[in-house]
Amino acid sequence: MPELPEIETVRLQLSEVLPGRIIERVEVLKQKSFIGDKQLIEGKKVIGVDRKAKLLLIDIEGQIDLAIHFKMTGQLIYADKNRRIAGGHPTGDFTGDLPSKHTRVIFHLDRGTLYFNDQRIFGWVRTGTKEEIRQMKFLQELGPEPPEIDEAEFQKILIKIKKPIKLALMDQTRISGVGNIYANDACWEARINPRRLANTLTRKQYSDLYNGLIKVLKEGIKYGGATAADAKYIDLHGLGGHYQEHFRVYDREGEECLREDGGIIHKYAMGGRGTYFCPKCQG
DNA sequence: TTAAATGTTTAAAT
DNA sequence: CATTTAAACATTTA
């Protein structure tokens, strides 16, 4: 569930258990999922857990970072004899036997175990010195994330982009952290058609969009991110977030618009991603 | 059987 | 060269 609120939720949860732990051994089950030298972190202590947009950064003693990108289906599960903390793409792996068939990397800790699972193998785990990680192309090209830019800066960035507003919001090199769910919901909040070109909004629309985006991102974090609606087994164990119960338009095709204007949420593909909107209030 | 899935990454086109 | 679009990546589920 890789979007800023979901990764932030994972960060907050892991911050409760990882600091102070020693990574005794790293077991790589899928070579494609691991980049770098595992010996850089073996035997080292975890200092803290940070995040940059959708990238999770685990701070390791000795100026080392462990960067983890979830992409579409990555998940991180911490398990010890007392509890299990899971975040990322919601699947039965959260509560089933570990390692599962999707486990790609296992971090054996002095107390507990951290599993990196990734169904589609798009995600990656990477080790490096803090400098090496900072120099990564991905981080170098990342734009600012919404909470750290104000309304004026937000407008300044978007007015230079000549593509549909929803795609502009999802362009990580311009604005980072926003993915498909929150881009869809932010457009609804601001009553803007997702297809509208980013450089053609009115002053008020930039303002509404900025506020709408901040609102849905904050709400996403508040509810612990989104978890697939069909992941009941996860809710039963208290391992899932609840933003999905507050979706404005995402995954609501055919349902009534929340504004009670009688609109029915439509869905179509734009940029290869599901795009949802209400033809009445986002016409 | 075909389509789609919370994201980049790379190649191609403009 | 900078910007935008399309395909690719690999697997599972509807």
Side-chain angles (χ1 to χ4, degrees):
Chain A
M1 11 159 65
E3 284 193 54
L4 192 154
E6 284 73 32
I7 304 298
E8 176 63 9
T9 298
V10 172
R11 188 190 74 74
L12 286 168
Q13 293 186 132
L14 291 182
S15 292
E16 299 289 316
V17 292
L18 289 189
R21 299 277 59 73
I22 304 285
I23 299 172
E24 295 190 324
R25 189 165 58 87
V26 179
E27 194 177 342
V28 178
L29 282 69
K30 192 77 179 177
Q31 197 55 52
K32 186 177 182 293
S33 302
F34 190 90
I35 306 163
D37 180 5
K38 62 184 185 182
Q39 293 189 57
L40 265 182
I41 61 173
E42 284 178 333
K44 303 272 180 60
K45 185 188 289 183
V46 175
I47 307 292
V49 187
D50 303 316
R51 176 188 61 75
K52 188 73 183 161
K54 303 175 192 172
L55 186 69
L56 191 73
L57 292 164
I58 298 179
D59 185 12
I60 312 287
E61 67 175 337
Q63 292 299 108
I64 302 298
D65 262 335
L66 174 60
I68 302 178
H69 203 303
F70 289 66
K71 287 294 182 76
M72 299 283 259
T73 58
Q75 49 183 206
L76 225 35
I77 303 174
Y78 168 88
D80 63 23
K81 57 176 76 101
N82 300 316
R83 56 179 160 172
R84 184 173 286 195
I85 291 174
H89 190 64
T91 69
D93 295 353
F94 278 13
T95 52
D97 289 338
L98 290 173
S100 74
K101 65 174 170 180
H102 303 124
T103 299
R104 310 305 180 193
V105 183
I106 303 174
F107 300 92
H108 297 277
L109 312 174
D110 58 335
R111 192 165 72 225
T113 310
L114 186 65
Y115 299 87
F116 175 66
N117 296 341
D118 185 13
Q119 187 177 95
R120 288 163 75 175
I121 322 182
F122 288 172
W124 42 261
V125 171
R126 175 171 177 162
T127 61
T129 61
K130 282 191 172 297
E131 182 60 16
E132 286 170 338
I133 296 298
R134 205 177 61 77
Q135 294 289 341
M136 283 174 57
K137 190 160 171 267
F138 176 79
L139 281 177
Q140 285 291 309
E141 297 181 347
L142 214 53
E145 49 181 86
E148 66 188 33
I149 49 174
D150 61 17
E151 209 176 297
E153 181 67 17
F154 182 74
Q155 171 171 341
K156 205 173 147 193
I157 291 170
L158 292 180
I159 211 161
K160 285 185 275 191
I161 306 178
K162 295 195 297 281
K163 56 183 175 184
I165 186 63
K166 188 197 150 215
L167 298 181
L169 290 176
M170 293 170 66
D171 183 343
Q172 304 299 299
T173 69
R174 321 301 271 273
I175 290 170
S176 66
V178 184
N180 202 32
I181 291 177
Y182 299 95
N184 271 299
D185 281 5
C187 286
W188 180 86
E189 277 289 334
R191 301 172 188 247
I192 296 171
N193 189 300
R195 263 207 172 94
R196 183 76 176 278
L197 294 182
N199 59 339
T200 66
L201 306 200
T202 63
R203 193 175 194 78
K204 181 175 187 316
Q205 286 178 316
Y206 285 117
S207 173
D208 288 348
L209 187 58
Y210 176 81
N211 291 313
L213 184 58
I214 296 291
K215 182 176 177 185
V216 295
L217 288 175
K218 273 178 74 173
E219 207 169 300
I221 292 171
K222 175 180 161 191
Y223 291 112
T227 303
D230 60 348
K232 296 190 181 64
Y233 48 87
I234 291 169
D235 287 340
L236 278 177
H237 290 76
L239 294 175
H242 294 272
Y243 179 74
Q244 70 277 5
E245 290 154 25
H246 304 270
F247 282 160
R248 274 71 168 162
V249 289
Y250 182 80
D251 202 27
R252 298 192 66 244
E253 182 185 17
E255 294 178 34
E256 269 185 42
C257 176
L258 295 177
R259 284 201 174 91
E260 299 181 357
D261 55 16
I264 299 296
I265 305 304
H266 281 228
K267 179 192 178 186
Y268 63 94
M270 181 167 66
R273 311 304 303 277
T275 300
Y276 303 80
F277 78 112
C278 168
K280 290 232 170 166
C281 58
Q282 294 175 266

